[in-house]
Amino acid sequence: SIRTKQAVAAAGQSHLVRIYEDLFGAIDIQVAQLLINQSDFLDQEHWTSIKTTINECLALGVVPIINENDSTNTAEMRFGDNDNLAALTAVQLEADALFLCTDVDYLYTANPRTDPNAKALRIVDEPWALQVDTSEEGSGMGTGGMATKILAARTASTAGVPCGLINGQHPERVLSFLAYGLDREGPRNPGTPEPNGTFFLPMPQDGSVSDNRRWILSLPTTAAIVIDDHCARALAGKKSLEPTGIEKVHGTFEKNECVKLMHNGSEIGRGLVNFTSEELEELCSAQADSNSDLDDEQSSDLSRSSSMLMACDHDNVILTVDAKSLGVVY
C-alpha cells in the first residue's frame, strides 16, 4: 500500500544518507540532505528559498544530496522520476551542466538490445526536436527510462543548461565532456574527440534566462493553448501572447496557472495565463463571432482592442524551442 511504501521510505532515508556520509567522509567532504516534493516548486518564493539553501550549502563546501520526499509525497505531488527532478534542479540552480546516468553507453535511434540497426547519437544539436524510438522498456533499476531522460535533457537545454548522458558504470566519462567543452561552439581544442556519451547541446539564448522563466519551466502543466503562425512568431520575437492568435483551448485552468503553448501539434513554450480557461474561451469566441460580421477596418479595431488584454505577458513566457525554428533570427 502507499502508506507502507511511505513508511519504508522514511526508514530508508537515514540509511541512504549514512552511505553518502561514509563515501564523502573518506575525502573529508560533508553532505546535507534535502527532501522535496513538487508542491515545493509551485510557490515561487518557496522555489527561491530552496535555491538559496542549495547555493549556501555549496558555498560552505557541503554537497547537497537532493531527493524526492517519498515518505510524505502523494501521487499528485510527485515529480514522477529522478531525471525530471534532476533537470528541474539544474535549471533552478543555473547549473554549468547536468549529467544523467543510464545503463547504456549512448542514446540510440532505437533500442540496441533488440534492433541491430540502432545507431548511437553522440551529439544532439536540437534536443527540443529530437525524435527517437523509446518504446522498449529499460532495465527497471530506476524510476525513469530513456524517454524520461530525453525529456529531462530537453528541459535543461531550454534553460541553456548542457546535458550529458553517460553509462553509470563509468562515471569517469564525465571528464570527456569537460575536455570537449560544454557550450555550442564545438570542441574546446581542435582534434578533441567527442564526449564518451551523448551530449545534448544547450538551446541558443539571446541573453540569460530569468529566474521567473526558470520557475515557470518547473511548474506542472495539465492544459494547453493552441496558437497560430503569427502568434508563434510574435512570441519568438519577444512579444506577449494576444487572444487574437489563439486557435483553441485544451483543458481547464485558473488565472496565473501554467499552460503549454502549442503550435502545429508541438509544444513551443510555457506561459502563465492572465485568464481562466472559461474566460479565454469566451473571449476567443466573442472575437470570432464579431469578426465574422465586421468589415476589415472594424475587425482591425477589435484586434487592437483585444491585444490590450494579453493572454500571457512576455515576461511570463518561456520558449521550449529555438526561436529560429519559428522564423525569428536574433
Side-chain angles (χ1 to χ4, degrees):
S1 70
I2 182 64
R3 299 305 177 196
T4 301
K5 291 180 180 179
Q6 289 175 328
V8 171
Q13 285 167 0
S14 60
H15 293 283
L16 181 62
V17 172
R18 190 174 302 123
I19 293 173
Y20 278 113
E21 287 178 336
D22 292 342
L23 292 173
F24 279 92
I27 52 176
D28 296 324
I29 294 179
Q30 284 190 301
V31 299
Q33 183 184 38
L34 280 84
L35 297 175
I36 59 179
N37 57 40
Q38 195 174 67
S39 63
D40 293 323
F41 279 44
L42 296 181
D43 178 75
Q44 190 171 13
E45 185 175 349
H46 202 174
W47 179 88
T48 302
S49 178
I50 294 172
K51 175 181 179 179
T52 302
T53 298
I54 296 173
N55 281 330
E56 189 63 25
C57 285
L58 295 173
L60 293 172
V62 177
V63 175
I65 307 299
I66 304 168
N67 211 338
E68 190 161 13
N69 193 351
D70 293 322
S71 63
T72 60
N73 266 0
T74 60
E76 294 78 13
M77 286 294 101
R78 286 184 57 82
F79 286 99
D81 57 82
N82 285 334
D83 299 321
N84 184 37
L85 175 56
L88 295 180
T89 302
V91 170
Q92 181 185 48
L93 299 176
E94 303 177 58
D96 293 329
L98 167 68
F99 289 95
L100 302 172
C101 295
T102 185
D103 59 352
V104 293
D105 292 328
Y106 308 98
L107 171 66
Y108 293 85
T109 54
N111 191 325
R113 297 188 179 96
T114 59
D115 187 346
N117 296 318
K119 296 180 180 179
L121 300 176
R122 302 291 293 269
I123 306 291
V124 180
D125 187 58
E126 299 180 344
W128 57 90
L130 181 64
Q131 297 290 334
V132 295
D133 181 10
T134 59
S135 58
E136 296 286 345
E137 294 184 0
S139 65
M141 295 297 289
T143 57
M146 191 57 72
T148 66
K149 287 174 173 55
I150 293 174
L151 289 175
R154 285 174 178 165
T155 298
S157 173
T158 294
V161 177
C163 179
L165 181 75
I166 64 171
N167 190 319
Q169 294 184 343
H170 302 282
E172 72 280 358
R173 292 181 179 177
V174 168
L175 299 176
S176 68
F177 286 81
L178 302 182
Y180 184 82
L182 295 174
D183 52 35
R184 296 189 58 86
E185 304 305 318
R188 181 171 292 145
N189 298 306
T192 302
E194 291 181 338
N196 203 343
T198 298
F199 184 21
F200 299 88
L201 298 184
M203 195 166 76
Q205 306 288 340
D206 60 348
S208 61
V209 180
S210 68
D211 262 8
N212 185 57
R213 289 193 172 99
R214 291 176 184 275
W215 171 64
I216 291 172
L217 192 59
S218 73
L219 295 174
T221 57
T222 58
I225 292 174
V226 181
I227 61 177
D228 61 20
D229 294 343
H230 174 76
C231 194
R233 288 192 296 270
L235 288 179
K238 299 185 178 181
K239 302 291 179 61
S240 296
L241 172 58
E242 299 180 7
T244 52
I246 295 176
E247 295 181 338
K248 196 168 185 179
V249 175
H250 290 293
T252 59
F253 49 83
E254 298 299 321
K255 182 179 179 181
N256 295 323
E257 194 169 326
C258 184
V259 300
K260 292 181 180 180
L261 305 178
M262 307 293 294
H263 175 247
N264 288 339
S266 299
E267 179 189 337
I268 66 165
R270 305 277 179 94
L272 299 183
V273 286
N274 294 326
F275 302 92
T276 66
S277 54
E278 184 177 356
E279 292 170 340
L280 200 53
E281 285 180 322
E282 289 177 355
L283 181 59
C284 294
S285 177
Q287 288 175 172
D289 292 342
S290 299
N291 284 336
S292 63
D293 298 327
L294 299 178
D295 58 33
D296 290 343
E297 182 177 354
Q298 290 173 318
S299 179
S300 179
D301 289 340
L302 177 62
S303 178
R304 284 194 294 270
S305 174
S306 297
S307 68
M308 298 176 64
L309 302 172
M310 297 301 175
C312 297
D313 295 322
H314 166 65
D315 290 340
N316 290 333
V317 171
I318 180 170
L319 292 180
T320 54
V321 299
D322 186 2
K324 290 181 180 179
S325 68
L326 300 174
V328 173
V329 179
Y330 47 71

